[in-house]
Amino acid sequence: MTSAVRYLTEAGFLGKFYIDGEWRKPTGLATAIVVNPAIEQPVAEIALGDDEDVDCAVAAARKAFTGWSRKPAAERAALLDRVHGLLLDRLELFAQAITCEMGAAITYARRAQVPLAAEHIRVARDNLATYPFIAARGSTAIMREAIGVCGLITPWNWPLYQITAKVAPALAAGCTVVLKPSELSPLSALLFAKVMDDADCPPGVFNLVNGAGPVVGTGLASHPQVDMISITGSTRAGVLVAQAAAPTVKRVAQELGGKSPNIILPDADLSRAVPLGVAAAFRNLGQSCSAPTRMLVSRSQMAKVEILAAAAASELVVGDPLAESTTHGPIANPPQFERIQAMIGIGLEEGAKLVIGGPGRPNDLQVGLYAQPTIFSNVNRDMRIAQEEIFGPVLSIIPYDKVDGAVEIANDTVYGLGAHVQGTDIETMQAVAGQIRSGQVHLNYPDWDPNAPFGGYKRSGNGREYGREGMEEYLETKAVLGFYR
């Protein structure tokens, strides 16, 4: 038992929800088992909520909304500041929880999963301090006001990171929230609720109800007292939430699937562009919606790229996520593991060239949901492995003949979340970036920017997270004519 599970067990939080400033028992008896994917063994049992729990949490958020939305921005920022400090103070506890619940290597959890989550809190705090909630346009005042009670639905792959990406800007905007984390990775969410409690969050401003998507997620989406839903998940889940939300005409922000391209221009430094492209595709073991899992390469450079890509993948260390030498742990859950294995098999059946990896676990691992980092080459743009989101460590190398053709292939997808372009001529890269239909484009692997808005075109969703635009998702616009004389 990890220290995180022990802490949650001894505190009694595993069987409770956080509602109206208190840890409360659920109204029903439903539970779910949390499985550690590294050992394929149960590690915790959590309570699952029902419609009554949703009603209770929404009522608490509704009751708290007026007071919280009218708090001065400085007071809301002070809460976020306290949350930020506590989250960093408890970094190791959160890292252990994330490793236990979804298999991230402990080094990656410490280096990325938790610190980047903390950055969302910091950015929301800092943006709140300078945001113009009222501005003049002639004699008219343009006011930006909190939209109301927000239901936040978060996924299992970046459990804490996606929580803070939603909770922080929502609270900064003056909204109150009900969080439904993934029931597959709920441990870090419970720890976050404890942080909110210890940070003296006013009762009802932040609430947490664990539960299944068809019950708690649908309950929030259809609830007449919820003003907005923000969901990160599969495109299928996003569609279902939007359908449930439609009768009440609430705002729905969706960050959904992706099949991001990485265009390696002919003048790129392949010795840098290819290894970093493999690393980007396989970060979090490929369980990232914006992972660039389609590498588009000039046909004349394919042979060299295959060698470089295979060498980069061979350096990855897949194994025990608690080992310091491990770079990549197990796949987060059995359904996702089976999906990855099935898609690798489909790639072989479709005739793609297997460069490295393949089906099954790495040779020395007999227990755990471990997948081999797999690279296919000579992938046709129409193959399923080139079109469908696999959500695992599977990279497709696709040849192109001309740059215009690379752009066409990049856009030949129902998704449009992220994209990458590598090269040496900045004007060419800028021109290519301008033609790609996606919410973000990265040129030559820049540093992550928590102020850069993130979201999708097409079936990758709508709305934006991160930075100023992320907070604006939780605001309504009011025009008051004749306000200024």
Side-chain angles (χ1 to χ4, degrees):
M1 182 182 294
T2 67
S3 60
V5 174
R6 185 180 301 109
Y7 172 79
L8 291 169
T9 301
E10 293 175 353
F13 296 153
L14 291 173
K16 295 180 180 179
F17 306 141
Y18 187 75
I19 298 174
D20 205 15
E22 298 177 347
W23 290 94
R24 299 186 182 181
K25 292 184 177 180
T27 58
L29 300 176
T31 62
I33 300 298
V34 180
V35 175
N36 182 332
I39 58 175
E40 299 184 71
Q41 293 295 322
V43 293
E45 185 176 12
I46 63 163
L48 296 180
D50 57 21
D51 288 341
E52 288 186 48
D53 298 306
V54 171
D55 286 343
C56 185
V58 171
R62 176 58 60 192
K63 181 177 66 176
F65 172 68
T66 299
W68 179 248
S69 63
R70 292 177 180 175
K71 290 279 189 186
E75 289 191 34
R76 301 202 297 271
L79 172 62
L80 293 173
D81 187 63
R82 295 192 297 273
V83 171
H84 181 255
L86 287 170
L87 200 157
L88 291 178
D89 288 345
R90 300 174 190 180
L91 186 149
E92 181 62 22
L93 194 64
F94 275 104
Q96 290 188 23
I98 292 168
T99 295
C100 179
E101 68 189 353
M102 58 76 60
I106 190 66
T107 53
Y108 191 71
R110 291 168 179 156
R111 185 181 75 248
Q113 289 266 6
V114 182
L116 298 185
E119 277 294 276
H120 288 311
I121 304 287
R122 181 193 64 79
V123 166
R125 178 199 67 192
D126 292 351
N127 285 335
L128 175 57
T130 59
Y131 189 79
F133 287 94
I134 180 169
R137 187 177 297 170
S139 62
T140 296
I142 307 299
M143 298 181 176
R144 305 302 299 274
E145 299 177 344
I147 194 170
V149 175
C150 299
L152 310 179
I153 302 173
T154 56
W156 49 260
N157 59 321
W158 288 84
L160 180 64
Y161 177 96
Q162 287 298 152
I163 287 171
T164 58
K166 297 182 189 300
V167 171
L171 297 189
C175 296
T176 55
V177 306
V178 179
L179 170 67
K180 191 214 88 66
S182 171
E183 66 275 22
L184 299 176
S185 56
L187 305 180
S188 53
L190 290 167
L191 290 176
F192 183 77
K194 177 59 174 170
V195 163
M196 295 300 299
D197 191 40
D198 290 347
D200 295 324
C201 180
V205 170
F206 169 87
N207 307 273
L208 179 148
V209 178
N210 278 314
V215 179
V216 175
T218 299
L220 286 171
S222 61
H223 204 289
Q225 291 299 311
V226 171
D227 301 291
M228 174 181 171
I229 288 288
S230 177
I231 176 174
T232 296
S234 67
T235 298
R236 177 181 176 275
V239 168
L240 293 173
V241 164
Q243 289 172 338
T248 52
V249 200
K250 57 173 57 73
R251 183 180 300 175
V252 178
Q254 304 163 312
E255 194 264 281
L256 308 176
K259 193 70 177 176
S260 300
N262 185 3
I263 299 178
I264 312 293
L265 294 173
D267 67 346
D269 177 2
L270 296 182
S271 65
R272 178 179 186 273
V274 175
L276 289 180
V278 172
F282 291 165
R283 72 177 183 273
N284 206 39
L285 215 63
Q287 297 169 129
S288 296
C289 47
S290 61
T293 54
R294 292 185 296 148
M295 182 177 286
L296 279 53
V297 177
S298 175
R299 194 178 301 275
S300 64
Q301 297 175 321
M302 287 284 286
K304 185 174 182 179
V305 168
E306 289 174 5
I307 294 171
L308 290 168
S314 68
E315 294 180 2
L316 303 180
V317 180
V318 178
D320 178 4
L322 293 176
E324 296 289 331
S325 60
T326 295
T327 61
H328 293 69
I331 300 302
N333 54 72
Q336 192 55 40
F337 178 80
E338 294 302 326
R339 162 73 176 171
I340 292 164
Q341 297 303 313
M343 290 304 295
I344 291 174
I346 287 169
L348 294 171
E349 293 172 3
E350 290 181 319
K353 177 183 178 182
L354 182 64
V355 175
I356 193 171
R361 295 178 174 87
N363 292 332
D364 57 342
L365 297 171
Q366 303 303 317
V367 177
L369 302 178
Y370 296 99
Q372 298 188 67
T374 298
I375 299 176
F376 287 106
S377 187
N378 291 337
V379 175
N380 185 297
R381 63 195 284 186
D382 297 323
M383 290 180 179
R384 287 182 61 185
I385 59 171
Q387 289 292 328
E388 297 182 24
E389 183 177 42
I390 300 173
F391 221 64
V394 182
L395 173 65
S396 295
I397 302 176
I398 304 172
Y400 69 82
D401 295 304
K402 296 181 179 180
V403 173
D404 288 347
V407 172
E408 182 183 340
I409 295 171
N411 289 332
D412 183 19
T413 171
V414 297
Y415 300 111
L417 191 57
H420 290 245
V421 182
Q422 319 306 324
T424 56
D425 184 86
I426 186 62
E427 291 185 356
T428 300
M429 288 192 295
Q430 290 170 342
V432 170
Q435 298 174 67
I436 296 175
R437 301 281 295 170
S438 68
Q440 275 195 354
V441 183
H442 299 237
L443 305 182
N444 284 342
Y445 307 113
D447 292 336
W448 177 69
D449 182 359
N451 272 298
F454 179 70
Y457 287 26
K458 299 183 281 186
R459 295 187 195 176
S460 286
N462 56 70
R464 293 295 180 266
E465 294 188 307
Y466 311 173
R468 177 169 171 160
E469 288 79 4
M471 186 171 71
E472 289 176 338
E473 285 294 326
Y474 298 92
L475 296 171
E476 287 280 24
T477 301
K478 176 189 288 182
V480 183
L481 286 70
F483 187 90
Y484 296 104
R485 299 292 181 180

